[in-house]
Amino acid sequence: MTYNFPLLSAANEGAVSTLTNTQAGRSLLSNVIPFTVNTQTNQTLTISIAEIISDYKDYADQAQSNYANLAEMGTYLGQKLNERAEAISLANHANWTDFGDTGASVLGLTSTDITVSATNIDDIVRGIIEQIQTANGFDLYIENGGFIEWRPSDWTFLVQYMQSMGYTFADEALRDGGKGRLGKETMGLYHYVSTSHPAGGHLMAGVRKAQKLGILSSTYGNVYRQDNPASSTAGSLSGTQIHTRLDYGLLVPTNMLPVVFDVNV
């Protein structure tokens, strides 16, 4: 399955022209509307990669063990596959725009690592919003919202910052440890936390819905069951095999690249 993402590149945008706005100028036959051509290009997202997870239970184990419940095992497999989808999304950082420390703790478009702390975590948030605006992405930011997905250690600094602010904001963070702000907008960004970040210190941030993860819905979420599956040598096994799968494709469209950031930490 293929999805199309047509776009106008900056090089192919139409130019705005000025018409002579005087009574004499408006009457000139030469003062015409110029013809311009806006050339569209197209990018595609193809769902061509499959991830799979399975489990096999012998009939005797199913009959005797409380841990061999197939329904619960199917739920577990689904959770593992969801975690895998999150890891796939976060591992795509090579296709995002670098954001880091440009020097003297000034944040901008560079790959130099930021040392995250409770005293600069608000600077990171403001810096991301600034770069979205600089990339002319503010309309998308208003429409979809901005976000960042922290590591647990960074989330601790964010909670520390929130708890120090005073008033109702700090009271809430002191009461629930910051969980009330998880997935909600704070300081202009939606904040998430994950343990699925790749090695090397890469956080994902920017405008929500900019990176496209295409999932084949006809297979996603289904648990497939096979009784007496074939063995790897000969004959069949005396039990049940279940599996679920994730068919996907991943794309950051060219016109979205400036508002999706690899926050180097």
Side-chain angles (χ1 to χ4, degrees), residues 170-206:
D171 291 341
E172 180 183 336
L174 286 166
R175 182 175 60 252
D176 64 14
K179 68 179 181 181
R181 306 312 307 165
L182 184 62
K184 295 182 180 179
E185 193 172 31
T186 301
M187 297 185 292
L189 294 182
Y190 288 83
H191 297 268
Y192 306 94
V193 63
S194 175
T195 57
S196 298
H197 289 92
H202 301 277
L203 309 183
M204 184 181 187

Side-chain angles (χ1 to χ4, degrees), residues 42-250:
N42 187 56
Q43 289 183 284
T44 59
L45 185 159
T46 302
I47 297 178
S48 59
I49 306 171
E51 305 273 339
I52 193 166
I53 184 171
S54 66
D55 184 66
Y56 170 78
K57 286 291 182 291
D58 186 88
Y59 286 137
D61 292 333
Q62 294 180 49
Q64 299 178 76
S65 173
N66 292 329
Y67 300 103
N69 184 294
L70 291 180
E72 292 181 358
M73 185 55 63
T75 299
Y76 168 76
L77 296 183
Q79 291 172 341
K80 296 298 292 182
L81 209 59
N82 284 340
E83 292 172 4
R84 176 59 181 154
E86 182 177 13
I88 289 167
S89 296
L90 293 173
N92 197 39
H93 58 86
N95 294 308
W96 308 336
T97 298
D98 277 318
F99 179 90
D101 189 340
T102 64
S105 298
V106 177
L107 307 183
L109 302 184
T110 183
S111 61
T112 303
D113 288 350
I114 304 167
T115 301
V116 183
S117 69
T119 57
N120 72 358
I121 202 157
D122 55 324
D123 297 325
I124 296 172
V125 171
R126 285 190 291 266
I128 290 166
I129 297 173
E130 177 187 354
Q131 293 305 323
I132 292 173
Q133 293 173 321
T134 302
N136 294 322
F138 196 68
D139 288 343
L140 274 176
Y141 167 74
I142 294 298
E143 180 179 350
N144 296 337
F147 79 99
I148 185 166
E149 191 150 1
W150 303 102
R151 302 167 300 182
S153 58
D154 309 319
W155 177 257
T156 299
F157 289 131
L158 179 64
V159 172
Q160 182 180 345
Y161 172 82
M162 291 189 294
Q163 290 174 337
S164 68
M165 286 297 97
Y167 303 105
T168 305
F169 189 77
D171 291 341
E172 180 183 336
L174 286 166
R175 182 175 60 252
D176 64 14
K179 68 179 181 181
R181 306 312 307 165
L182 184 62
K184 295 182 180 179
E185 193 172 31
T186 301
M187 297 185 292
L189 294 182
Y190 288 83
H191 297 268
Y192 306 94
V193 63
S194 175
T195 57
S196 298
H197 289 92
H202 301 277
L203 309 183
M204 184 181 187
V207 172
R208 299 199 300 176
K209 304 181 182 180
Q211 177 169 273
K212 310 299 182 183
L213 176 63
I215 294 176
L216 186 62
S217 60
S218 58
T219 60
Y220 181 68
N222 292 330
V223 177
Y224 301 94
R225 171 174 176 159
Q226 176 66 52
D227 285 302
N228 305 119
S231 73
S232 59
T233 54
S236 60
L237 300 174
S238 180
T240 305
Q241 186 264 342
I242 61 172
H243 76 273
T244 188
R245 59 185 290 162
L246 172 71
D247 298 272
Y248 75 94
L250 195 60

Side-chain angles (χ1 to χ4, degrees), residues 4-65:
N4 294 304
F5 293 90
L7 61 101
L8 287 172
S9 66
N12 294 324
E13 289 181 345
V16 179
S17 300
T18 301
L19 294 176
T20 303
N21 193 26
T22 64
Q23 184 175 3
R26 289 195 297 270
S27 65
L28 295 176
L29 294 178
S30 60
N31 194 26
V32 297
I33 300 173
F35 292 107
T36 60
V37 177
N38 297 314
T39 304
Q40 283 192 333
T41 58
N42 187 56
Q43 289 183 284
T44 59
L45 185 159
T46 302
I47 297 178
S48 59
I49 306 171
E51 305 273 339
I52 193 166
I53 184 171
S54 66
D55 184 66
Y56 170 78
K57 286 291 182 291
D58 186 88
Y59 286 137
D61 292 333
Q62 294 180 49
Q64 299 178 76
S65 173

